[in-house]
Each structure stands twice: as structure tokens, then as C-alpha cells.
């Protein structure tokens, strides 16, 4: 399936294609991939830097080299970064810049982000910042990257004080999603990506949420058709949101459902031991409970979100940091004032509402919430 991300900028190159299929990277030459690459504006005769991580390079390094040669991109180098969130740092960004400078990459050359969200975010930010912007494409390899991070142009790195605090909106020239690459992904990573899929259903598409309630076991047993379906639906939803609001002036914030508390969880764990999707799963359960607390949604809605999260094997209990630690971590998030934070809340499955909430109110809810009974 091909999905267009149309950015409505009245410019000639105002959008890009997301191609979702089996075997894009490892299945040999294919006309549809060639068409997407040729309309992307990439100069395939220019030089390319493939940025990837150790595990992906070990599994698919040869496949990605053949893939590039199949489409006439013969002049490329591969840069392998360590696995894990700690790679999204100023140090590794600087290493990428050094490599581009030392090899005299020019504006007509390009970067390929080949990996999960960590690689997509840092490689995209390197592309955004080198020579004030060179072309790049996303070739995601995790479910999370397929359904969320590879689409929409949010690029960046973490700061020791907070997640994704340094970054840019910078769109790729194409997104090539090879569903076959998911077969080597750890179950925990698959489930991690599934959290972002639940997010789309929970606040934007009740029908999709109902499909996930019935079909989650198929997805989580790596059924290719089910995976393809959820990736297609998620990318379609995200493309529509990004088309309306590329730079998160309004609507796009809906994609942060679960992220206010989720980012705080990640920050408090210093980005170790908890994964992004796991953290936002906890955040979604919290946001749903908060929605009920202020009378926005029913107990039934809270239960359905909590049940799908738990049934998928995602965590839902708030880890045992103090409420004050959560508030302090949330204050480091983007889009907060001293006293308030803009929360994405759920009105009913598939329906959202934005509310500015006082930190004092969230603090008292964190203290009283029955969710806290499970504190470790
Ligand atoms: P990740 O990139 O760290 O990948 C997870 C692990 O899976 C890594 O160890 C990696 O080596 C391994 N891996 C990747 N592909 C594999 C494959 N096909 N087979 C086997 N192993 C494979 O994690 P992630 O969950 O993909 O991404 C998380 C990051 O994405 C976070 O930094 C988060 O902030 C970011 N993110 C960004 C956006 C955005 O819009 N830019 C959206 C959501 C999340
Ligand atoms: N992952 C949220 C966004 O892309 O806006």
C-alpha cells in the first residue's frame, strides 16, 4: 500500500510517499519501490550514508547494501551506532556530523535512516542540521518506527534533563516500510510498538480500537497480514494528522496521548529499563483515569483502554517514584507553563479533548489515584 503524506505547503516537493509492503529491502528489485524512490527527489547517483545500529546491521547489513545497488545507488557508506536510547545523544550526533564533514558530503547527497526510532530520530536530525539540511529517507525496522517515528518529520536527540528536548521538524523524502523486517524483532519490542498503535485507536479511531481488541493476539504472534493492516491504518491516521498540522500547532498534539506522564517515566528511569511504548502505555492508562476524574469519560472507556494495554503485555502501573518527582519531570516537557500542562484526554474511545490542567491538580490526583496502590 502507498500512502501520501501531503504537507499542503503549496510547494512543489510538498509531501512524500510511505510505501508499506513485504520484501522492500530483502526481496530484490521491485517496480513500486523504484517508482517511490524516483519520485522522492533523492539523487540516487549521489553519495549515501546509511546510518544504522549494531543489531540491524548484523541482521540486514548485506540486505540493505544489495537493496541500494538494486536501485542504482552504488556510492554509499554505512555508519553503525550502538543499540539503545543512549545513542540519541549530542556525542553520537557529533560523530555523524564528523563523518559527513570528513567525507565531504554535499547537499545533493543523502542519508538513509535504517533502524528503529532511535536511529530514525538521530539520523533525521543529522540530515536536518548538516549543511542546513540534506535529503534523507526513513527505512524503519521496528513496529514503533513503522507506525509512528518514521512518519511526520519529528527528529532529534535527548538532553540529560529531558527527552527529545533538542530537535527539528524535518521531513524525509520517502518512508519505505518492509513488514518482513519485523520477523526478527524481539517480542518485547513488538509489544512496545503496539502501544503507539493502541494510541491511534484510543483517541482517533473507535473502529480501529475495536479491531485491536479482537485482533491483538494475531498481531503479537507476528501474523503478517495483521501487522500489515495495523501499520497501514496507523500510517494513514498519522498522515492525516500531519497533513493538518505539520508543526504541532494544534491537532498534532493528540498524538501525545499518554506522553506527558510517559515522558516523565522515561526521564525518571534515565531512559534505561523502560521503553518508550511501555512508558506511554502507563501514561495512557493515567490519562484515561484523569479523564474520568474530571468527568470527561466513562469507567467503561478507562477499562477498555486499560484492558487492551494489559492484555497486550504492556505495563499499566505507575512506577514507584514520588508524585513530586513526576511533576518535576513533567515540568521539563515541551508545552508547559510554570503552573499548567496541556493534557490530551479521552472523551470516549476514538475521541479526544485537550485540557490545560494545573500541576497542583495532577499532583493531588497522583497522590490519591488508586493507580498508586500498585506502587513498588
Ligand atoms: P530502538 O530504535 O531502540 O529499537 C529497539 C531495539 O530493536 C534496538 O535494540 C534495535 O537494535 C532492535 N532492532 C531494530 N530493528 C530490529 C529488527 N528488525 N530485528 C531485530 N532487532 C531490531 O527503539 P524504537 O522503539 O524503535 O524507538 C524508540 C525511539 O523512538 C525513542 O527514542 C522515541 O523517543 C522515538 N520516537 C520518536 C517518534 C517521532 O515521531 N520521531 C515517535 C515515537 C517514538
Ligand atoms: N509521535 C508523535 C508525533 O509524531 O507527533
Amino acid at each position: 500500500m502507498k500512502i501520501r503524506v501531503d504537507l499542503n505547503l503549496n510547494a512543489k516537493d510538498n509531501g512524500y510517499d510511505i510505501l508499506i509492503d513485504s520484501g522492500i529491502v530483502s526481496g530484490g528489485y521491485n517496480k513500486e519501490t523504484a517508482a517511490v524512490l524516483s519520485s522522492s527527489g533523492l539523487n540516487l547517483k549521489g553519495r549515501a550514508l546509511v546510518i544504522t545500529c549494531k543489531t540491524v546491521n548484523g541482521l540486514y547489513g548485506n540486505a540493505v547494501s544489495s537493496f541500494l545497488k538494486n536501485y542504482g545507488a552504488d556510492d554509499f557508506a554505512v555508519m553503525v551506532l550502538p543499540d539503545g536510547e543512549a545513542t540519541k545523544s549530542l556525542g553520537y550526533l557529533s560523530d555523524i556530523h564528523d563523518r559527513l564533514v570528513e567525507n565531504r558530503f554535499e547537499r545533493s547527497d543523502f542519508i538513509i535512516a535504517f533502524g528503529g526510532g532511535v536511529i530514525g530520530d538521530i539520523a533525521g536530525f543529522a540530515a536536518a542540521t548538516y549543511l542546513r539540511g540534506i535529503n534523507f529517507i526513513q527505512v524503519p525496522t521496528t513496529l514503533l518506527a513503522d507506525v509512528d517515528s518514521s512518519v511526520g518529520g519529528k527528529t532529534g536527540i535527548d538532553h540529560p534533563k529531558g527527552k527529545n528536548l533538542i530537535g527539528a521538524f524535518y521531513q524525509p523524502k520517502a518512508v519505505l516500510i518492509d513488514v518482513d523486517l519485523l520477523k526478527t524483532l524481539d517480542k518485547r519490542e513488538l509489544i512496545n510498538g503496539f502501544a503507539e498503535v493502541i494510541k491511534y485507536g484510543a483517541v482517533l479511531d473507535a473502529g480501529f480500537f475495536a479491531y485491536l481488541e479482537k485482533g491483538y493476539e494475531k498481531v503479537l504472534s507476528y501474523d503478517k497480514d495483521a501487522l500489515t493492516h495495523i501499520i497501514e491504518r496507523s500510517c494513514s491516521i498519522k498522515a492525516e494528522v500531519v497533513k493538518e498540522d505539520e508543526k504541532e500547532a494544534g491537532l498534532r498534539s493528540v498524538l501525545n496521548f499518554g506522553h506527558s506522564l510517559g515522558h516523565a517515566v522515561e526521564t525518571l528511569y534515565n531512559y534505561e529499563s523502560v521503553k518508550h511504548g511501555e512508558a506511554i502505555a502507563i501514561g495512557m492508562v493515567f490519562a484515561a483515569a484523569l479523564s474520568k476524574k474530571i468527568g470527561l469519560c466513562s469507567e467503561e472507556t478507562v477499562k477498555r483502554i486499560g484492558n487492551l494495554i494489559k492484555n497486550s503485555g504492556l505495563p499499566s502501573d505507575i512506577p514507584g517514584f514520588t508524585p513530586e518527582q513526576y511533576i518535576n519531570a513533567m515540568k521539563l516537557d515541551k508545552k508547559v507553563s510554570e503552573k499548567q500542562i496541556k493534557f490530551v484526554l479521552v472523551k470516549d474511545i476514538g475521541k479526544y479533548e485537550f485540557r490545560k490542567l494545573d500541576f497542583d491538580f495532577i499532583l493531588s490526583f497522583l497522590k490519591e489515584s488508586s493507580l498508586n496502590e500498585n506502587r513498588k
Side-chain angles (χ1 to χ4, degrees):
M1 181 182 190
K2 195 162 85 177
I3 296 165
R4 182 87 187 154
V5 183
D6 182 358
L7 297 171
N8 282 348
L9 295 177
N10 295 324
K12 208 172 162 222
D13 60 344
N14 67 350
Y16 52 96
D17 290 321
I18 307 166
L19 185 65
I20 304 160
D21 207 345
S22 293
I24 293 178
V25 174
S26 50
Y29 180 87
N30 134 349
K31 272 202 226 152
E32 226 183 351
T33 308
V36 168
L37 283 172
S38 110
S39 66
S40 70
L42 277 194
N43 171 19
L44 293 169
K45 290 286 161 219
R47 279 181 305 165
L49 182 64
V50 179
I51 301 177
T52 189
C53 65
K54 192 164 175 274
T55 298
V56 172
N57 189 53
L59 290 163
Y60 301 110
N62 291 338
V64 83
S65 298
S66 311
F67 161 80
L68 286 169
K69 288 177 193 154
N70 283 339
Y71 297 99
D74 295 315
D75 188 0
F76 62 88
V78 180
M79 183 166 184
V80 182
L81 300 178
D83 292 350
E85 184 72 26
T87 295
K88 256 175 69 174
S89 67
L90 207 49
Y92 286 110
L93 178 70
S94 181
D95 289 349
I96 300 174
H97 287 151
D98 288 351
R99 181 82 177 250
L100 294 165
V101 172
E102 280 155 17
N103 291 286
R104 296 174 189 275
F105 264 66
E106 296 175 8
R107 277 232 179 94
S108 54
D109 298 326
F110 64 98
I111 285 176
I112 299 171
F114 185 49
V118 163
I119 291 298
D121 281 11
I122 190 171
F125 191 47
T129 45
Y130 180 68
L131 299 182
R132 300 194 178 89
I134 65 169
N135 289 340
F136 86 112
I137 60 168
Q138 291 272 13
V139 185
T141 64
T142 62
L143 181 61
L144 182 137
D146 289 350
V147 299
D148 193 357
S149 62
S150 66
V151 174
K154 277 191 183 176
T155 70
I157 55 173
D158 299 326
H159 184 276
K161 293 248 180 213
K163 180 120 177 110
N164 296 333
L165 288 182
I166 302 160
F169 286 100
Y170 192 70
Q171 302 291 342
K173 290 291 171 189
V175 183
L176 302 177
I177 302 178
D178 183 344
V179 183
D180 284 349
L181 303 180
L182 297 178
K183 63 178 186 267
T184 51
L185 196 64
D186 265 16
K187 186 74 175 270
R188 184 174 173 195
E189 296 295 350
L190 192 75
I191 294 172
N192 178 52
F194 194 63
E196 300 280 13
V197 179
I198 295 174
K199 172 187 83 178
Y200 293 118
V203 284
L204 287 165
D205 187 340
F208 187 42
F209 191 88
Y211 168 86
L212 298 175
E213 287 178 308
K214 284 202 199 103
Y216 72 91
E217 279 170 318
K218 259 190 165 182
V219 173
L220 300 179
S221 57
Y222 298 79
D223 179 283
K224 207 200 276 186
D225 291 342
L227 280 168
T228 305
H229 175 69
I230 63 159
I231 294 167
E232 288 176 352
R233 188 68 206 120
S234 300
C235 287
S236 301
I237 294 172
K238 183 148 186 187
E240 283 304 307
V241 171
V242 171
K243 175 178 168 176
E244 283 298 309
D245 178 19
E246 183 191 353
K247 302 255 169 90
E248 205 171 294
L251 172 68
R252 186 164 177 171
S253 312
V254 70
L255 301 179
N256 295 334
F257 180 57
H259 285 55
S260 299
L261 189 78
H263 278 172
V265 170
E266 286 182 275
T267 304
L268 290 170
Y269 273 117
N270 203 19
Y271 315 123
E272 287 160 10
S273 74
V274 66
K275 296 185 180 294
H276 177 73
E278 294 169 349
I280 68 135
I282 296 167
M284 287 192 281
V285 174
F286 178 74
L290 200 53
S291 308
K292 177 169 175 279
K293 170 80 179 170
I294 60 177
L296 259 189
C297 78
S298 64
E299 179 64 28
E300 173 68 9
T301 298
V302 180
K303 271 198 184 140
R304 283 181 69 191
I305 292 173
N307 285 342
L308 182 53
I309 282 171
K310 283 180 230 161
N311 290 341
S312 327
L314 284 161
S316 56
D317 297 339
I318 301 180
F321 301 97
T322 65
E324 288 78 9
Q325 283 177 297
Y326 282 110
I327 297 296
N328 289 337
M330 274 192 250
K331 283 186 176 172
L332 281 169
D333 211 327
K334 298 170 278 320
K335 297 266 177 70
V336 297
S337 62
E338 184 47 34
K339 292 211 155 97
Q340 287 191 315
I341 181 166
K342 181 175 158 190
F343 241 87
V344 187
L345 298 171
V346 58
K347 277 167 77 172
D348 195 355
I349 297 295
K351 296 202 175 104
Y352 66 90
E353 185 163 315
F354 298 129
R355 283 273 178 101
K356 283 195 174 154
L357 299 177
D358 287 349
F359 280 116
D360 287 347
F361 171 69
I362 297 169
L363 180 67
S364 67
F365 184 64
L366 273 165
K367 283 179 177 165
E368 84 178 37
S369 171
S370 60
L371 290 163
N372 293 328
E373 284 167 17
N374 294 313
R375 287 170 169 279
K376 288 178 215 138

